[in-house]
Amino acid sequence: MRRVPLQVIGFFSLVVWVVAVLFFQAADSGAQQNPGPKPKSQAITYPAGVRAITPGGKTTATIVLTPGVPPSVTETDVRAYFATYGFPQTVPGAHPIIEKILFITAKQASELMHGESVGRPDNVLVCYVLLKGPFQIAISGPAIPPGHNASPSSNSSGITRIEEVFDAYSGNMLLWGTADYH
Amino acid sequence: MMRMNPQNTFSGRRPSGERNVCLVLLAFFLTVGSFVALSGTADAQPAYSCNGHCYAGIDWPNPVNGAETNISIVFITCGNCGGFVTNEMWVIGNYGNHACPIPNTPNVYLCWIEAGYSTWGVPNAHFSNSCIGPNGIANCYFWADNRPNGGYHEHPTANITQYGVYADFTIERNSTSSPTWDVYVNGGHYQSTSNNFPVSDIQIGEELYGTGGANSPYTLWTYNRWRSTRDNSWNFQGNSGSPIGPYNPPYGGWLHPPAGSSNGGGTFWACTTSNC
């Protein structure tokens, strides 16, 4: 068998190297060129949410925005979801429970959450769940503004209650939050 | 007696066979080294101590009716890190007002609205399964608020399906209803309702929580604007603001500081590794 000359091997290695440099430079340059924002939509977006409960074991991405449609999610589905995936992280030794599972309109859920937006038309059904902890979870938040000296206590008793809202048809999570005002 | 071959003596010119091997080895290591260096995937993620939250960002102190930024969308990861990393913008106010307690942070009070994108680890500190998309990736666009007497609520809006692009994030007071804010996240339009607080600052940047495992590659914030309370006009940021951190990690700083209104509000960068 004829041997490939070493010069040929070296040449092709060099070509591969040049291609690699050009490829990664191209990948970076795409993110550095911002064409600017597009015009903003005036219509409210009803998000699909993110995967959570699977009603009856079936996954669906369908969004129902019509009032009065019976929910696909059941209380059994909700309990199965928490039994499978667990609760938010609790303080050591806590035994979390599900305090409420409610199939109510988005407007009613918003009122329970002191006016928090739900992401559905007022009269469309959602599944509201209230959990009792106490919980010890991290939330996203801003830095203390410069010029303010914050000295937070390191002793936190945790978050007593967490509330979650799911789409009553797909089972997707629409939002979750702290409910210590209940 | 062994006779030395004159061609093997050190005369400043190696035999052709040895030269060829050296060239091949050089090309080979250049190739491998380039892939390793440029892909950035061979570096082990360092541990960090960010259970008190770490940041690389900018704060602009001023009352405003809105804020906007465009953030480059990069493949952020958390895996089993137990924390998170986010790239986002905040509109904040009511510091010290007891109507705005920060959950899990006693004696600190602040209200805000935020918009950006984040990891949700699997499993994570929140939920075991929130934000898993059909592609199995746990990265989401989201917005959240901490409202006066309303608590903190987080809204994951969609899984991220496209990287290497810019997404627009805008938070602005609704023109017809002051307790309502319009929140725009990558083309979606949402509202933070029953949320009336006086704004004191805009912040942009990267937030890191946990003790290791999260990774956010090189990310850029551009098109940084603020909305006037006087006439609702939109204006590009004209100054560098005050730095938040960097805590190293995250690392960050101005790539191009704002210069009047001539460069689109400046370009800020951040990432979680020191060699990004």
Side-chain angles (χ1 to χ4, degrees), chain A residues 50-62 70-78 80-81 103 127 166-173:
Chain A
V50 292
R51 273 174 47 184
I53 300 169
T54 52
K58 298 177 184 177
T59 303
T60 174
T62 303
S72 305
V73 174
T74 65
E75 183 173 324
T76 302
D77 292 328
V78 174
Y81 168 73
F103 292 91
C127 176
F166 301 92
D167 183 286
Y169 306 94
S170 67
N172 286 354
M173 175 180 289

Side-chain angles (χ1 to χ4, degrees), chain B residues 39-214:
Chain B
S39 66
T41 57
D43 297 323
Q45 294 309 314
Y48 41 81
S49 178
C50 291
N51 281 342
H53 298 247
C54 299
Y55 300 89
I58 295 295
D59 180 284
W60 285 286
N62 264 316
V64 296
N65 271 351
E68 180 176 21
T69 188
N70 287 184
I71 309 175
S72 61
I73 305 303
V74 298
F75 186 67
I76 50 178
T77 57
C78 182
N80 294 329
C81 74
F84 59 79
V85 59
T86 70
N87 293 318
E88 58 176 307
M89 177 179 73
W90 297 266
V91 170
I92 68 177
N94 254 6
Y95 180 80
N97 190 317
H98 284 217
C100 299
I102 300 179
N104 256 349
T105 313
N107 303 320
V108 183
Y109 306 92
L110 191 62
C111 277
W112 71 82
I113 307 166
E114 60 187 291
Y117 65 100
S118 177
T119 60
W120 268 260
V122 181
N124 60 44
H126 298 170
F127 306 98
S128 300
N129 203 35
S130 74
C131 198
I132 297 294
N135 53 7
I137 303 298
N139 294 340
C140 279
Y141 290 106
F142 81 103
W143 70 274
D145 54 19
N146 191 45
R147 299 177 297 122
N149 300 309
Y152 172 83
H153 292 84
E154 200 169 276
H155 303 249
T157 59
N159 293 105
I160 297 175
T161 56
Q162 189 178 11
Y163 301 92
V165 296
Y166 280 86
D168 182 82
F169 301 90
T170 300
I171 301 169
E172 59 180 356
R173 200 182 288 277
N174 186 279
S175 58
T176 58
S177 173
S178 60
T180 298
W181 294 78
D182 292 299
V183 183
Y184 298 89
V185 178
N186 191 40
H189 178 192
Y190 314 97
Q191 288 189 322
S192 174
T193 51
S194 299
N195 192 7
N196 197 9
F197 70 95
V199 174
S200 60
D201 299 71
I202 298 169
Q203 294 182 356
I204 60 169
E206 185 166 288
E207 179 184 6
L208 179 64
Y209 174 83
T211 56

